[in-house]
Amino acid sequence: MTVCYEDFTPGEIVSYGARTITREEITAFATLYDPQPMHLDEAATANTMLGGLAASGWHTICILMRLNVDHMLKDSASMGAPGVKEVKWLKPVRPGDTLSVRRTTLEARLSQSRPDMGFVGFLFELLNQKGEVVMTQENVMMIGRRGTGDAHVS
Amino acid sequence: MTVCYEDFTPGEIVSYGARTITREEITAFATLYDPQPMHLDEAATANTMLGGLAASGWHTICILMRLNVDHMLKDSASMGAPGVKEVKWLKPVRPGDTLSVRRTTLEARLSQSRPDMGFVGFLFELLNQKGEVVMTQENVMMIGRRGTGDAHVS
């Protein structure tokens, strides 16, 4: 069944996903979007703040999105998002790290202007295999209400 | 010369970059990180809010980062960023759109704990070829001070 606005309850916490990130993925992403030495070259990073090759923070954001699509959005009435409220990068993501998501629903409110949808606010925490939070992200998504007849809410 | 903390003045506005985004890039990115129909399949998007194929908002964020690396960060004393303050997606990015950056320096303050760096806050506006702002992003970067002797400040 399609996940709709009504399925999100403020205070609920759910966990999902497991994706192991490889050195090849880190450097391939960085080559396209963030070609700085700390994301491309182990030797260049030994004496930097990161202390070794680490994924671009933007890559980490993209991995969170992919986990959210696979585990939350692909069978949902999601109608996108107006933006991102805040992102914090807390720890480096290294080759071989396995990342998972802990999602807290912060708020749910109906749209004033569109009766077929509501806004749901989330805190996403991305954890590594040691249970350390490597990144947090807050945003608000537009999600269709159940039974409003739109094609996307089946 | 390496761009350092001292080179950023609150209130300054500069523009740079021009990158044309192709349909192939949009779908390649979406396949990896945001495999939702509106970023993959023209036919599936005709009746959606986006009204046609559009880049993932996360892809648009990554393109901004690449423009920032090429025009601002690659010859700088940048030491990364603790996160992102806010992102707003304002208009769809379509195949063939050419994107450029207008950057406003919002603030510059020295670190209390690290004498070799400061924090510089920016508003980045990403514009399309019609001059429309398709996305805004605010964040704060850590940037090395000139003459502090670190290897990255040459």
Side-chain angles (χ1 to χ4, degrees):
Chain A
M1 193 174 77
T2 301
V3 173
C4 294
Y5 170 80
E6 288 76 8
D7 299 315
F8 295 98
T9 307
E12 185 188 38
I13 300 173
V14 296
S15 295
Y16 49 81
R19 174 156 170 177
T20 301
I21 186 166
T22 66
R23 185 176 303 269
E24 291 67 32
E25 278 179 276
I26 287 173
T27 57
F29 180 96
T31 300
L32 283 175
Y33 299 114
D34 189 355
Q36 300 189 88
M38 61 279 204
H39 310 310
L40 287 169
D41 180 0
E42 190 79 56
T45 62
N47 297 316
T48 66
M49 288 173 79
L50 287 171
L53 191 77
S56 166
W58 309 100
H59 191 186
T60 310
I61 285 177
C62 290
I63 288 168
L64 171 62
M65 183 57 184
R66 179 57 192 263
L67 290 170
N68 284 343
V69 171
D70 289 350
H71 294 273
M72 166 187 180
L73 297 174
K74 76 170 186 234
D75 297 315
S76 80
S78 170
M79 299 160 81
V84 186
K85 283 181 81 169
E86 189 174 53
V87 176
K88 292 180 185 169
W89 292 303
L90 302 173
K91 295 214 172 255
V93 172
R94 307 289 188 191
D97 277 358
T98 299
L99 303 175
S100 61
V101 181
R102 182 166 61 209
R103 184 191 80 204
T104 302
T105 303
L106 300 177
E107 59 163 341
R109 57 190 158 83
L110 294 173
S111 169
Q112 298 293 307
S113 59
R114 291 197 45 169
D116 61 336
M117 67 174 226
F119 296 95
V120 184
F122 297 104
L123 167 66
F124 297 101
E125 296 170 286
L126 196 67
L127 291 86
N128 64 19
Q129 68 281 4
K130 294 182 243 175
E132 298 168 331
V133 178
V134 299
M135 182 180 76
T136 64
Q137 183 191 297
E138 274 189 59
N139 67 10
V140 174
M141 294 186 191
M142 302 177 288
I143 303 180
R145 294 178 70 185
R146 179 159 288 120
T148 51
D150 283 68
H152 61 267
V153 187
S154 57
Chain B
M1 194 175 74
T2 301
V3 174
C4 294
Y5 170 81
E6 289 75 9
D7 299 315
F8 295 98
T9 306
E12 185 189 36
I13 300 173
V14 296
S15 295
Y16 48 81
R19 175 157 169 176
T20 302
I21 187 166
T22 66
R23 184 176 305 269
E24 292 67 32
E25 279 179 275
I26 288 173
T27 57
F29 179 95
T31 300
L32 283 175
Y33 298 114
D34 189 356
Q36 300 188 90
M38 61 279 206
H39 310 311
L40 288 169
D41 179 0
E42 190 79 57
T45 62
N47 297 316
T48 67
M49 288 173 78
L50 288 170
L53 191 78
S56 166
W58 309 100
H59 191 185
T60 310
I61 285 176
C62 290
I63 288 169
L64 170 62
M65 182 58 185
R66 178 58 192 261
L67 291 170
N68 284 343
V69 171
D70 289 350
H71 294 273
M72 165 187 182
L73 297 173
K74 76 170 188 235
D75 298 316
S76 80
S78 170
M79 299 161 81
V84 186
K85 283 181 81 170
E86 189 174 54
V87 176
K88 291 180 185 169
W89 293 303
L90 302 173
K91 295 214 171 255
V93 172
R94 307 289 188 191
D97 278 359
T98 299
L99 303 175
S100 61
V101 181
R102 181 166 62 209
R103 184 192 80 205
T104 303
T105 302
L106 300 177
E107 59 163 340
R109 58 190 159 81
L110 294 173
S111 169
Q112 298 294 306
S113 60
R114 290 197 47 167
D116 61 336
M117 66 174 229
F119 296 95
V120 184
F122 297 104
L123 167 65
F124 297 101
E125 295 169 287
L126 196 66
L127 290 87
N128 65 18
Q129 67 282 3
K130 293 181 244 175
E132 298 168 330
V133 179
V134 299
M135 182 179 77
T136 64
Q137 182 190 297
E138 274 189 59
N139 66 10
V140 174
M141 294 185 190
M142 301 177 288
I143 304 180
R145 294 178 69 185
R146 180 159 287 120
T148 52
D150 283 68
H152 61 266
V153 186
S154 57

